[in-house]
Amino acid sequence: MKMCEKIQLFDWLTLLLLTAPVGGVLAPGCELELREVAPFSTDGDFVLGVISASYTEVIYPILDYREIPQPVRCEGFQARYYRDILAILFSIEEINQNQYLLPNHTLGFQILDSCLSEVVALQDTLQVLSGENKTIPNYKCHAHPALAGILGEIHSAVTEVMARISGVYKIPQISFSSQHPILSDKFQFPSFLRTYPPDNLQPRAIAQLLRHFNWTWVGILSSSSDVRSLSSQKIRQEVVENGGCVAFLEKINNRYSKERLVRVVDVIRQSSASVIVCNCYEMHLRPILELLALQNVTSIVWVVSSGLTINSHLFTRESWRLLNGSISFTGATNGIPGFIDFIYGIRPFVYSQDTFTKLFWQKAFGCQWEGQNMTAMVTGLEVIPCTGEEDLKELDPELFQLNDLSISYHAYLAVYAYAHALHNMVVDGAKEDAFGTHTNTNNVEPCFNINSQDDIQRSDVVKRNSGLEAGEAEVLQYLWDVCFTTDSEQKVYFDANGDVPTVFDIKNIQIYPDDTSKVITVGKYDVKESPGHEISLNVTAILWNQRYNQAPRCVCSESCPVGYRKSARRGQPSCCFDCLPCAVGEIANETDTTKCWKCPEDQWPNESRDKCLPRVVEFLSYQDPLGATLATVAIILSLVTVLILIIFFWFQSTPIVRANNRGLSYLLLCTLTLCFLCSLIFVGFPMQLTCMIRQPAFGLIFTLSVSCILAKTVTVVIAFKAVNPHTHLRKWVGSKIPNLIVIFCSLIQLVICTYWISSHPPFPENNTRSESGKILIECNDGLTILFYCMLGYMGFLAILSFIVAFLVRTLPDRFNEAKFITFSMLVFLSVWLSFIPAYLSTQGKYMVAVEIFAILSSGAGLLFLIFFPKCYIILLQPEKNTKEHLVGKMATRK
Ligand SMILES: *[C@@H]1O[C@H](CO)[C@@H](O)[C@H](O)[C@H]1NC(C)=O
Ligand SMILES: *[C@@H]1O[C@H](CO)[C@@H](O)[C@H](O)[C@H]1NC(C)=O
Ligand SMILES: *[C@@H]1O[C@H](CO)[C@@H](O)[C@H](O)[C@H]1NC(C)=O
Ligand SMILES: *[C@@H]1O[C@H](CO)[C@@H](O)[C@H](O)[C@H]1NC(C)=O
Ligand SMILES: *[C@@H]1O[C@H](CO)[C@@H](O)[C@H](O)[C@H]1NC(C)=O
Ligand SMILES: *[C@@H]1O[C@H](CO)[C@@H](O)[C@H](O)[C@H]1NC(C)=O
Ligand SMILES: *[C@@H]1O[C@H](CO)[C@@H](O)[C@H](O)[C@H]1NC(C)=O
Ligand SMILES: *[C@@H]1O[C@H](CO)[C@@H](O)[C@H](O)[C@H]1NC(C)=O
Ligand SMILES: *[C@@H]1O[C@H](CO)[C@@H](O)[C@H](O)[C@H]1NC(C)=O
C-alpha cells in the first residue's frame, strides 16, 4: 500500500470528514468500508476525473442488521448516457493526437459511474481525490501523476454535492449538463464551472419565444423539483412581463397519485390554452402524456425546456406522437466532427478496463460475456455469448439518439476547456522556466497542498508562489482565463460565474406518420445578441402539430378591433377580456386599447369608430331643397297676397271690399304679406341679428294679423248692433273700436317681445349634443318660456276671434265674413296646436322647417279662407258685387 499524504484543510472539515489516520499507513480497521469499484482509467501526464452516469438508478441494499449490507447496486443502463462518456473518450483521444494542443503531454482519465445518485457520486469524488481505488477523505494516495480536475455530473443535484467537495479543495470541476442557477454562486462553489448554459436565462428565452409567436395564453407544467418550480415561477413572471398570461401552472411528478395526475390532465383539457410550456423532466411528463393520449388530446403545442430529454425511447408510441410539432430548448450544439464514426468504431477490448463498453455490448446485443457475470441477465433459456465482433451498424440507429448530441457536445467542450487550460499552463510554465522561476514543468502538476482559505481572488498569489504551492488551483486559474474557438467556430470562455454565455438551440420535434422522428434545429436564442433580437427562428422549417398548418394562435381573447375597447373580465387574467364598442362620440384608433378617446367638440367618430371626422354643419339654407322650397312658397304666397291687395285696391269702391272695414282688410293683407316674408328670416345661416329678431318678428306680425281678424269680427258685431238706431254704439261705428283693438292687442305682444329681447335675447348656437355627426347651428331661444308666452298670447287672441266669430256667424252682415273667419281661425288654431308637438320632437333644420311650415300654412289658411271667396266674387261674379245683392241677401235673411 502506498503512503497516503494528508491534504491540508481546515480543522472543522477534518473533523467532519472523519479521517482516522494521521499520515502514514492506514491502520487496518480504521478505514471506513465503502463500495470499491475500480475506475475505468488510463494514465497520462494529466488525469481528468470523470464522474458521469451510464446507469440511471441505484438499488439500495435492504438493511436488516443481521449481515453486512450488500453494496449499492446500479441498474437501468442507458445507451444515451453512455454516449456522453464516449464523447469524453473521443475528445481525450483527439487531444492526445493533436500535435498543437498539449504537445509532449498526454491526457489520462479516470471514469466512474455515478448512477445519477448523490451517494455514489460523493463516493466517486472521494475516490478520484484519493486515487488508488481508495476513498480516504482528505488523503491522496496517488502513484500516478496527479489529477487536473473533475468532469461531471449530469444532474444538478448530484453535481452540487460534488461541487461542495471540489470547492473545498479548489479542484476545478466542469459540468457539461447541470443547469441549476445556484451553481453560478461562486461563494458556494468557487471551483465549479460549466459548459452547459445555466437555467438562469431560460425563462426569459421561453417567454421571448412565446412573444415571438404572439402566444399570450399559455399553460405551464413544472416538475415538482425545487429548480424547476423556481424557474417555472420565473417563466410565469417573464410571460406576464411580456404581456402574456398564464392559464395554469401545475406541478407534475411521476410519483404523484393517479388522482392527482388525472386532475392535472383535466386542467389541461378544460383550459383553452393550446400552448403548454413544459419545464419538466421527461419522466415527469410521461404519465401526463399517457393520460392525454388516452383522452385523445392531441392538439397541444408543447414548448419544452432544456431539462427534458427528447428521446422517443423514453415515451410510449402514443405519447411520443403527442409531441409532434413541439418546440424545445437545448444548449446550443454544433457538430462534433468524427464522433459518429468514433461511436460506430468502438470495440470492447480497446481499453482493458473498459467495463462500460462491455456492459453496453451486453445490453445492445443481448449477449453475455463468457466468464463475466456483470449483471444477472437472462435472455430466455439460451444465453448468447458475446464475441466482440458484433456489428454496431445492425443496431437501431436511434439507440444513441444522435439527433440530440447536446450533452455530448458540452462534454466535448469541457474536455477541450481543460486541454486548453493545461496547455496554457504548460506554455506559461515553460516561459517562466526561461526566466528561472521554475525548475521543472512537472512541478506545476497538481498537488493538493493548497490552503483552502485561499480564494479565487488570491489564486494569482498562489500562482506566483508557483512550484509546489500551485496545483489544481492553477489549473482553475487557467480555466477562468481560457478562451478558445472550436472547429465549428464557437467561441468558448467562462464568465465570472463560471458559466458559458447562454446560447440555446430551438428545436422542433417532427414525427412522421411511419413513427420515425427527427429533431431539427429551427432557431437560436443567443444572449450575446442585442436585446429584443436574441431569438432568431426559421419559421418555415417548423413543422407544426398536425392540427395546425401554421403557427397556432393562442390567446384567451382575440384582440379587440379598432372601434372597440377592452373590458376586463372580473376575476380573470388580463389576457381574457371582452370587447365593447366605444361609447357615442368616442373612438379607438388602435387595436387592443383599454380606453376610447373622446372626439373633439367639432368632430365625430366615423362609422367604424376609428377616426374622428369633422362634423357636418347643418342649418336650413337656401341651397337646401327644403329651405329653397319653403322660401319659394313663402315668396309666392306673399306675391299672391300682394296681388289680392292690388285687386282690393283696384276694386276698392265695390261693396264687397268696403264691407267690414276696408282699412282692416288692407292691414290684414299687409301683415299677411309680412307673415310670409318673415318666414324668410328663418332660412339661412343663423346670425346674431336674425336669431334675435326672427321669433319676435314672427310673433308681432302674427299677433297683428290675428288682432286684425278679431277687430274684423268685432266690426261685424258692431255693424249689426249699429243697425239698431237706438244703441249708443252707433257713434262707434267706423274704425275707432277696431283700431283700438288692433293697437291694444299688438301692444301687449310688443311688451312681451321687448321684454324677451332685452332680457334673454335669442342667440345663435352650435349644438353638438343632439345629433350624431352633425353640428346643428341653431338659434337658442334664450328663455324658451317667453317663446311659449308669445305663442300662447297669439293663441289666446285666435281663440277669442274664433269664439266671437262663432257667435256672430249667423248674424247677417253685408257679406257673411264671420263664417269664413270661424273657419280660418279653426284652421289657424289646429295648425298651431299641432305645431307644438311637431316642433318639440324635431331638431335642427327640421325644427325650423316645421315652424316655417306652420307660419306658411296658417298664413295661407287665413289668406285663402278670408280673401279668396271675396276675390272670386269680385273677379268672376261681379253681378253679385252690388249693394242690392248684398242688401237683398240681408233682407231675405231677415
Ligand atoms: C516536445 O518534445 C520535443 C522533443 O523532446 C521537443 O523538441 C519540443 O520542443 C517539445 N515541444 C514542446 C512544445 O514542449
Ligand atoms: C484498482 O483496482 C483494479 C481492479 O480491482 C486494479 O486492476 C487496479 O490495478 C487498481 N488500481 C490501483 C492503482 O491500485
Ligand atoms: C404577432 O403580432 C404582431 C403585431 O400584432 C404581428 O406583426 C406579428 O406578425 C405577429 N407574429 C406572428 C408570428 O403571428
Ligand atoms: C380516442 O380515439 C379512439 C379512436 O380514434 C376512440 O376509440 C376512443 O374512444 C377515443 N377516446 C376518447 C376518450 O375519446
Ligand atoms: C451469474 O448470472 C446468473 C444468471 O445469469 C446468476 O444466477 C448468478 O448468480 C450470477 N453469478 C454471479 C457470481 O453473479
Ligand atoms: C429555413 O428552412 C427551410 C426549410 O427547411 C429552408 O429551406 C431554408 O433554407 C431555411 N432558411 C434559413 C435562413 O435557414
Ligand atoms: C406530425 O405533424 C405533421 C405535420 O403537421 C404530420 O404531417 C404528421 O402526420 C404528424 N405525425 C403524426 C404521427 O401524426
Ligand atoms: C389615435 O388618436 C389619438 C387621439 O386622436 C392620437 O393622439 C393618436 O396618435 C392616434 N393613433 C393612431 C395610431 O392613429
Ligand atoms: C371609417 O369608417 C369607414 C366605414 O364607415 C371605414 O371604411 C374607414 O376605414 C374608417 N376609418 C378611417 C380612418 O377612415
Side-chain angles (χ1 to χ4, degrees):
M1 184 171 278
K2 296 264 174 352
M3 296 285 279
C4 288
E5 85 187 71
K6 189 165 187 288
I7 307 168
Q8 288 183 17
L9 259 187
F10 287 134
D11 283 348
W12 65 267
L13 203 79
T14 317
L15 285 173
L16 188 74
L17 291 177
L18 290 172
T19 54
V22 187
V25 186
L26 291 168
C30 293
E31 226 177 306
L32 290 168
E33 290 278 343
L34 267 182
R35 175 194 76 135
E36 293 206 343
V37 177
F40 165 30
S41 56
T42 57
D43 269 351
D45 297 327
F46 301 107
V47 170
L48 295 180
V50 180
I51 296 169
S52 189
S54 66
Y55 286 113
T56 54
E57 273 175 73
V58 178
I59 309 293
Y60 290 95
I62 300 161
L63 295 173
D64 60 2
Y65 303 105
R66 294 219 183 99
E67 52 194 44
I68 296 166
Q70 295 291 309
V72 293
R73 206 151 44 80
C74 290
E75 277 193 358
F77 181 84
Q78 280 281 340
R80 185 191 182 290
Y81 290 132
Y82 167 62
R83 188 197 73 194
D84 300 335
I85 294 173
L86 286 181
I88 294 170
L89 280 182
F90 169 74
S91 30
I92 288 174
E93 282 194 10
E94 203 175 67
I95 289 160
N96 283 340
Q97 282 160 17
N98 189 330
Q99 293 174 4
Y100 304 102
L101 190 60
L102 275 180
N104 296 355
H105 291 83
T106 54
L107 264 185
F109 57 83
Q110 241 189 342
I111 304 178
L112 282 158
D113 197 332
S114 67
C115 308
L116 298 185
S117 153
E118 289 90 337
V119 175
V120 178
L122 202 49
Q123 214 166 290
D124 291 345
T125 311
L126 291 178
Q127 191 170 342
V128 166
L129 292 183
S130 297
E132 297 294 311
N133 300 353
K134 291 276 181 285
T135 48
I136 307 169
N138 223 10
Y139 283 82
K140 62 172 183 178
C141 316
H142 293 288
H144 57 74
L147 187 70
I150 297 175
L151 270 174
E153 213 262 356
I154 302 171
H155 281 190
S156 295
V158 183
T159 308
E160 189 189 327
V161 293
M162 290 168 59
R164 294 213 183 263
I165 301 238
S166 61
V168 166
Y169 295 112
K170 299 289 184 298
I171 293 169
Q173 176 188 355
I174 304 182
S175 170
F176 45 86
S177 159
S178 304
Q179 298 171 52
H180 199 307
I182 197 175
L183 291 166
S184 297
D185 180 352
K186 290 306 105 166
F187 287 100
Q188 292 195 59
F189 306 100
S191 67
F192 177 81
L193 305 104
R194 54 182 149 190
T195 50
Y196 203 88
D199 206 22
N200 309 16
L201 289 177
Q202 190 165 229
R204 178 165 305 166
I206 289 177
Q208 289 196 358
L209 179 88
L210 297 179
R211 195 182 59 182
H212 187 275
F213 287 113
N214 295 337
W215 291 334
T216 55
W217 184 237
V218 296
I220 301 177
L221 292 186
S222 164
S223 279
S224 56
S225 72
D226 282 357
V227 203
R228 294 291 150 198
S229 300
L230 205 70
S231 63
S232 296
Q233 293 294 346
K234 273 176 87 182
I235 293 176
R236 183 216 286 263
Q237 199 182 328
E238 292 277 351
V239 166
V240 170
E241 277 170 19
N242 278 295
C245 297
V246 174
F248 57 83
L249 195 166
E250 292 288 332
K251 287 190 181 173
I252 53 170
N253 194 320
N254 51 345
R255 296 199 195 115
Y256 282 175
S257 67
K258 176 107 192 217
E259 288 73 38
R260 189 156 178 191
L261 293 176
V262 166
R263 201 182 54 76
V264 173
V265 168
D266 282 344
V267 169
I268 296 173
R269 228 157 35 94
Q270 280 156 18
S271 170
S272 57
S274 57
V275 171
I276 295 181
V277 175
C278 190
N279 185 25
C280 54
Y281 304 113
E282 65 282 353
M283 61 268 195
H284 294 165
L285 182 59
R286 202 160 45 198
I288 298 284
L289 283 184
E290 280 162 16
L291 285 171
L292 287 174
L294 272 183
Q295 306 204 14
N296 297 345
V297 182
T298 56
S299 58
I300 292 169
V301 174
W302 297 89
V303 176
V304 298
S305 69
S306 59
L308 191 127
T309 309
I310 300 165
N311 178 3
S312 61
H313 290 267
L314 298 174
F315 299 93
T316 64
R317 181 169 157 272
E318 283 72 29
S319 36
W320 176 241
R321 281 183 159 204
L322 294 190
L323 292 177
N324 192 14
S326 299
I327 292 185
S328 89
F329 282 80
T330 50
T333 307
N334 288 312
I336 314 176
F339 181 49
I340 310 280
D341 294 339
F342 176 80
I343 288 182
Y344 282 100
I346 53 165
R347 286 289 171 270
F349 297 111
V350 176
Y351 298 98
S352 59
Q353 295 164 317
D354 185 357
T355 49
F356 291 95
T357 307
K358 295 198 182 80
L359 187 62
F360 166 71
W361 223 258
Q362 284 191 4
K363 298 287 176 186
F365 296 104
C367 63
Q368 204 156 14
W369 293 106
E370 237 170 291
Q372 268 176 314
N373 219 5
M374 295 166 89
T375 50
M377 195 182 94
V378 186
T379 48
L381 293 170
E382 208 182 345
V383 175
I384 312 161
C386 297
T387 62
E389 297 302 317
E390 286 87 353
D391 190 0
L392 281 167
K393 295 241 159 34
E394 286 170 9
L395 293 174
D396 179 359
E398 291 216 13
L399 188 65
F400 288 113
Q401 291 158 47
L402 299 174
N403 57 25
D404 176 18
L405 285 179
S406 174
I407 296 185
S408 297
Y409 177 74
H410 290 96
Y412 173 83
L413 289 187
V415 176
Y416 265 87
Y418 270 122
H420 281 277
L422 291 169
H423 179 89
N424 293 345
M425 190 173 81
V426 169
V427 170
D428 275 5
K431 268 190 205 150
E432 283 177 33
D433 239 12
F435 290 102
T437 39
H438 269 276
T439 48
N440 189 341
T441 48
N442 280 341
N443 281 350
V444 300
E445 281 170 12
C447 302
F448 276 84
N449 297 343
I450 312 152
N451 192 326
S452 53
Q453 286 168 50
D454 290 332
D455 53 21
I456 304 287
Q457 283 75 19
R458 291 181 58 199
S459 56
D460 50 347
V461 180
V462 176
K463 194 168 141 195
R464 249 177 267 121
N465 287 346
S466 80
L468 290 166
E469 293 301 309
E472 281 87 353
E474 192 165 13
V475 180
L476 185 57
Q477 181 61 34
Y478 279 97
L479 273 176
W480 287 114
D481 295 340
V482 88
C483 181
F484 63 98
T485 309
T486 63
D487 290 348
S488 49
E489 304 279 300
Q490 188 185 345
K491 203 170 173 188
V492 180
Y493 57 91
F494 298 99
D495 65 15
N497 294 327
D499 299 324
V500 289
T502 303
V503 183
F504 284 113
D505 275 345
I506 299 170
K507 300 199 170 195
N508 181 223
I509 304 178
Q510 306 186 346
I511 303 169
Y512 305 106
D514 61 356
D515 279 325
T516 56
S517 54
K518 262 193 196 165
V519 180
I520 291 179
T521 304
V522 292
K524 221 180 195 87
Y525 172 88
D526 192 340
V527 78
K528 301 193 295 293
E529 298 291 331
S530 60
H533 297 90
E534 291 101 332
I535 289 211
S536 55
L537 272 178
N538 181 359
V539 180
T540 50
I542 300 178
L543 207 62
W544 296 103
N545 180 308
Q546 57 273 14
R547 286 280 291 272
Y548 311 97
N549 296 324
Q550 55 186 46
R553 287 192 57 69
C554 194
V555 293
C556 181
S557 302
E558 288 294 335
S559 74
C560 290
V562 292
Y564 289 79
R565 67 180 172 86
K566 289 204 243 179
S567 153
R569 288 189 199 150
R570 191 179 283 266
Q572 290 195 30
S574 63
C575 302
C576 301
F577 47 80
D578 296 311
C579 294
L580 300 182
C582 286
V584 174
E586 295 189 338
I587 57 150
N589 54 1
E590 282 158 61
T591 53
D592 276 339
T593 178
T594 49
K595 206 170 145 273
C596 295
W597 298 81
K598 215 170 169 51
C599 281
E601 270 288 285
D602 58 342
Q603 295 193 348
W604 185 254
N606 75 346
E607 221 172 289
S608 47
R609 295 183 197 226
D610 60 350
K611 200 183 176 194
C612 288
L613 300 176
R615 294 189 192 235
V616 178
V617 172
E618 193 187 78
F619 59 95
L620 192 66
S621 70
Y622 288 106
Q623 283 79 34
D624 195 302
L626 186 62
T629 314
L630 289 173
T632 315
V633 171
I635 288 169
I636 290 171
L637 284 173
S638 54
L639 289 179
V640 169
T641 320
V642 171
L643 190 67
I644 293 174
L645 186 61
I646 292 169
I647 291 171
F648 268 50
F649 214 66
W650 196 263
F651 295 97
Q652 58 174 307
S653 51
T654 60
I656 211 157
V657 177
R658 291 174 52 142
N660 292 336
N661 200 334
R662 190 172 54 193
L664 276 180
S665 294
Y666 293 158
L667 183 60
L668 184 54
L669 281 169
C670 287
T671 55
L672 280 177
T673 313
L674 287 180
C675 275
F676 296 131
L677 290 180
C678 93
S679 66
L680 294 182
I681 315 176
F682 288 80
V683 188
F685 190 85
M687 287 175 300
Q688 184 75 41
L689 183 68
T690 50
C691 265
M692 195 155 77
I693 63 164
R694 68 189 197 183
Q695 298 287 20
F698 144 74
L700 271 178
I701 294 169
F702 259 77
T703 308
L704 201 55
S705 314
V706 177
S707 36
C708 283
I709 290 167
L710 183 62
K712 258 176 168 305
T713 15
V714 170
T715 312
V716 172
V717 177
I718 292 169
F720 176 70
K721 298 287 182 200
V723 173
N724 189 342
H726 305 293
T727 65
H728 303 291
L729 286 168
R730 190 176 181 82
K731 57 177 178 262
W732 294 104
V733 178
S735 57
K736 269 190 185 159
I737 286 188
N739 288 355
L740 281 180
I741 287 175
V742 170
I743 291 167
F744 180 71
C745 292
S746 309
L747 216 54
I748 292 181
Q749 187 70 303
L750 191 66
V751 169
I752 294 176
C753 291
T754 313
Y755 174 67
W756 186 4
I757 289 182
S758 56
S759 66
H760 302 93
F763 55 92
E765 175 190 62
N766 298 348
N767 179 354
T768 54
R769 285 157 277 123
S770 328
E771 206 173 342
S772 52
K774 287 178 183 165
I775 300 180
L776 306 179
I777 303 185
E778 55 188 24
C779 290
N780 187 316
D781 283 338
L783 201 58
T784 319
I785 187 84
L786 287 174
F787 172 65
Y788 289 105
C789 274
M790 187 190 86
L791 219 55
Y793 176 68
M794 215 168 76
F796 165 74
L797 285 185
I799 290 171
L800 203 62
S801 317
F802 171 72
I803 293 172
V804 175
F806 184 77
L807 293 179
V808 301
R809 75 190 184 287
T810 50
L811 289 185
D813 66 28
R814 306 256 186 84
F815 178 79
N816 196 358
E817 206 174 29
K819 225 177 229 169
F820 294 113
I821 288 177
T822 313
F823 276 132
S824 67
M825 280 299 106
L826 210 56
V827 169
F828 185 88
L829 280 172
S830 41
V831 166
W832 286 104
L833 276 180
S834 52
F835 160 77
I836 290 173
Y839 185 76
L840 288 178
S841 59
T842 49
Q843 279 182 335
K845 65 176 186 182
Y846 298 102
M847 192 170 175
V848 177
V850 163
E851 192 168 351
I852 296 175
F853 183 78
I855 291 172
L856 294 182
S857 53
S858 60
L862 297 186
L863 183 67
F864 293 142
L865 285 172
I866 296 175
F867 293 101
F868 260 37
K870 292 184 181 179
C871 286
Y872 177 76
I873 292 173
I874 291 171
L875 296 176
L876 299 177
Q877 296 183 320
E879 73 276 3
K880 289 189 180 170
N881 193 2
T882 57
K883 200 162 185 170
E884 293 69 38
H885 187 79
L886 288 180
V887 171
K889 215 171 144 193
M890 236 184 333
T892 46
R893 187 91 44 89
K894 254 185 187 167

